Amino acid sequence: MGYVFDYSWIGEYSGVLLKGLWLTVWLILVGATFGVALGIFCAWVRALGPKWARPIVGAYVELIRNTPFLIQLFFIFFGLPSLGVQMGETQAALLAMIINLGAYGCEIVRAGIQATTKGQFEAGWSLGLSRIETFRHVVLIPALQRIWPALSSQIVIVMLGSAVVSQIAAEDISYAADFIQSRTFRAFETYIVATLIYLALAILLRQLLKGVGWVLFPKRSAAR
Amino acid sequence: MSLIEITEVRKSFGDNEVLKGIDLNVEPGEVIAIIGKSGSGKSTLLRCINGLETINAGSIQVAGAQLATDELHLKALRLKVGMIFQGFNLFPHKTAGQNVMLSQMVVKKTPKPQAEEMAKKMLDRVGLGHKFDAYPDQLSGGQQQRVAIARALAMQPVALLCDEITSALDPELVQEVLAVVKELASEGMTLLMVTHEMRFARDVCSRVVFMHLGRVHEIGPPGEVFGNPKTPELRQFLGQTH
């Protein structure tokens, strides 16, 4: 093979790459925070919330889980303006990620909630805690602990999936890579660099989530 | 007026009527043992008293708090009666101390230092002051149950409901829990306990309630109920357990 690798462009385009990296990091940090919050709220509704609200959340979850992320993104960015809802590409990307993670997170967290024994609820209630208080103080943390590995994986999947936001010109890592390779014609090297950045980011994100779990859940308590 | 007044209480699960009109009044400081075969309704009765089950007819009131289905009434009732479960039900993500502090802080809005002080006092009372920072899975079954008792006591209830609290324990751990209950009884705490510990019932309780097919079949001081059972059902039940 006579291919000669050429990375001489990196210096010139490092600013573009860093800018892309920053957007991807920002999207996943903010998106995961709100996405998980949305997921927890939806899981509460589906498992314990008012009966009339359950089918509504169910419909949202099934709609998102059975359509491609790219279409959801296009719907928000290209579709919503027809209804008068305008937003920039970054906001649209963030919103799509929150809505997507909210739906998958809902089902994951719900599994954790539903594995809670009846006795835990009854112990909370008989101490005088209301239903909401029992959920917040008694049920939620052990439920999250049970499903934390699955939820962490889903967050990483959303981070990797965020590569498609370059399709609406949100300037993330993938957008930067497209831009660089179209200027330098060094597609192979560019995507090797992009791959390594995503890889490093995913590994770091997993470690970060492990750390969050470390803080959130006591070390010695076995999930029951 | 009695501390706990249970009047004509009926409870069905579907077509199955589990409680068929229960009347029971409990005076302050009484220790009541509820005995009977499984399926006789004794646990259900206990669970009705703090609103874990809804009732179909009749009324229950504890120290002026009436059983109703809305959260406000339920909270008022549950502040009067504590409940201890067969399966301990400690919160696994909280230490023994935090287990005892939680409801004080959330329900009564007690500031943390006071809640902590109360938790220490209550854990000391059940002999577990040194386990304040231990998580439930670091404790034996007997210790977990004693923490559960401390947790209920910290809310300063006027009565405690004990639902077969030693049934899930290894035989050698039963005594340490019963010793705590005995101590509470001697301090004047009102106790209603569903139990299979007949000797304990005989030694500690002021009255014994024998339930059969959803009714209070026989009731009286332990000497009478155990020494001179009037109905064949009670005789048969006691014959089986002795």
Side-chain angles (χ1 to χ4, degrees):
Chain A
M1 296 245 297
Y3 192 84
V4 181
F5 286 93
D6 177 5
Y7 288 101
S8 58
W9 51 270
I10 280 197
E12 190 184 338
Y13 288 101
S14 60
V16 179
L17 276 173
L18 276 176
K19 199 175 157 215
L21 175 65
W22 167 242
L23 184 67
T24 298
V25 167
W26 183 82
L27 278 177
I28 193 58
L29 289 183
V30 180
T33 305
F34 287 97
V36 168
L38 178 64
I40 291 172
F41 174 73
C42 290
W44 172 77
V45 172
R46 271 201 111 173
L48 308 166
K51 291 240 161 40
W52 59 264
R54 292 182 195 183
I56 300 171
V57 172
Y60 150 65
V61 167
E62 292 313 317
L63 178 70
I64 298 301
R65 293 203 311 159
N66 293 292
T67 52
F69 179 60
L70 184 63
I71 300 299
Q72 294 161 17
L73 185 68
F74 282 176
F75 182 87
I76 289 171
F77 189 64
F78 298 119
L80 288 188
S82 316
L83 302 175
V85 184
Q86 295 275 359
M87 63 185 95
E89 64 280 352
T90 307
Q91 289 101 304
L94 181 65
L95 185 63
M97 285 168 71
I98 292 171
I99 288 174
N100 187 270
L101 182 57
Y104 283 96
C106 169
E107 290 306 272
I108 296 172
V109 175
R110 183 165 73 115
I113 293 173
Q114 288 179 332
T116 308
T117 59
K118 207 170 142 224
Q120 290 288 308
F121 287 96
E122 292 184 344
W125 298 338
S126 57
L127 285 166
L129 274 68
S130 67
R131 287 179 175 264
I132 300 267
E133 287 164 347
T134 301
F135 175 71
R136 186 161 115 62
H137 296 286
V138 175
V139 175
L140 182 59
I141 295 293
L144 286 179
Q145 184 171 17
R146 264 176 228 120
I147 52 82
W148 195 247
L151 191 59
S152 299
S153 280
Q154 191 61 44
I155 292 169
V156 172
I157 289 171
V158 169
M159 190 276 283
L160 297 176
S162 76
V164 305
V165 304
S166 59
Q167 295 300 308
I168 57 168
E171 300 179 13
D172 72 334
I173 297 168
S174 300
Y175 181 90
D178 288 344
F179 176 79
I180 292 166
Q181 67 94 15
S182 69
R183 292 292 189 87
T184 61
F185 303 108
R186 284 285 162 190
F188 195 19
E189 290 89 334
T190 309
Y191 286 116
I192 286 176
V193 170
T195 302
L196 290 177
I197 293 175
Y198 274 116
L199 182 65
L201 213 51
I203 292 169
L204 274 174
L205 185 56
R206 277 184 204 278
Q207 293 307 312
L208 175 71
L209 288 164
K210 222 177 240 178
V212 172
W214 193 257
V215 174
L216 225 48
F217 315 121
K219 290 94 212 153
R220 277 280 320 196
S221 119
R224 293 206 173 88
Chain B
M1 214 170 80
S2 304
L3 187 69
I4 301 177
E5 291 181 355
I6 301 167
T7 315
E8 269 300 304
V9 165
R10 289 175 176 272
K11 165 74 185 169
S12 303
F13 293 108
D15 292 335
N16 181 19
E17 192 168 46
V18 187
L19 300 178
K20 299 171 180 168
I22 302 281
D23 285 293
L24 180 65
N25 289 336
V26 181
E27 304 304 323
E30 269 200 300
V31 179
I32 309 265
I34 305 173
I35 60 172
K37 284 194 290 198
S38 68
S40 59
K42 49 194 194 310
S43 276
T44 305
L45 175 62
L46 215 58
R47 291 164 56 82
C48 285
I49 297 175
N50 78 341
L52 286 182
E53 306 284 354
T54 55
I55 57 177
N56 300 100
S59 73
I60 294 177
Q61 69 97 13
V62 180
Q66 193 79 29
L67 172 66
T69 47
D70 60 294
E71 271 205 342
L72 215 66
H73 275 91
L74 278 176
K75 183 176 161 183
L77 180 70
R78 286 167 178 164
L79 284 173
K80 305 275 187 188
V81 282
M83 182 145 186
I84 328 279
F85 301 86
Q86 183 176 352
F88 328 135
N89 296 338
L90 292 185
F91 308 135
H93 58 302
K94 295 190 177 292
T95 63
Q98 289 167 344
N99 261 276
V100 183
M101 289 160 67
L102 177 70
S103 57
Q104 299 180 62
M105 289 164 62
V106 174
V107 181
K108 289 189 169 174
K109 314 285 179 219
T110 310
K112 197 174 173 194
Q114 279 98 305
E116 202 171 320
E117 199 178 315
M118 171 70 97
K120 283 202 180 103
K121 220 166 79 188
M122 291 304 136
L123 284 174
D124 273 337
R125 200 164 159 191
V126 298
L128 290 173
H130 60 295
K131 294 290 188 186
F132 191 93
D133 292 318
Y135 282 99
D137 63 359
Q138 295 169 305
L139 301 172
S140 73
Q143 290 172 330
Q144 289 189 49
Q145 194 60 296
R146 283 147 69 198
V147 173
I149 294 172
R151 183 172 72 175
L153 289 175
M155 296 300 281
Q156 300 174 297
V158 297
L160 273 187
L161 311 173
C162 305
D163 191 5
E164 299 197 30
I165 61 170
T166 56
S167 299
L169 293 175
D170 293 338
E172 74 269 23
L173 301 176
V174 169
Q175 289 314 316
E176 67 182 60
V177 172
L178 290 184
V180 169
V181 177
K182 202 168 173 177
E183 183 77 23
L184 292 175
S186 71
E187 287 165 14
M189 173 62 81
T190 309
L191 292 161
L192 259 85
M193 42 199 307
V194 170
T195 184
H196 294 295
E197 300 289 333
M198 294 304 157
R199 233 187 58 199
F200 183 80
R202 191 193 307 236
D203 294 347
V204 177
C205 294
S206 35
R207 275 193 296 164
V208 176
V209 174
F210 171 62
M211 286 190 64
H212 184 66
L213 298 176
R215 289 197 172 84
V216 175
H217 206 69
E218 226 172 289
I219 183 167
E224 220 170 90
V225 169
F226 291 117
N228 184 22
K230 293 184 185 60
T231 60
E233 289 81 11
L234 179 54
R235 269 198 294 279
Q236 197 202 5
F237 175 75
L238 292 174
Q240 278 167 358
T241 53
H242 279 275

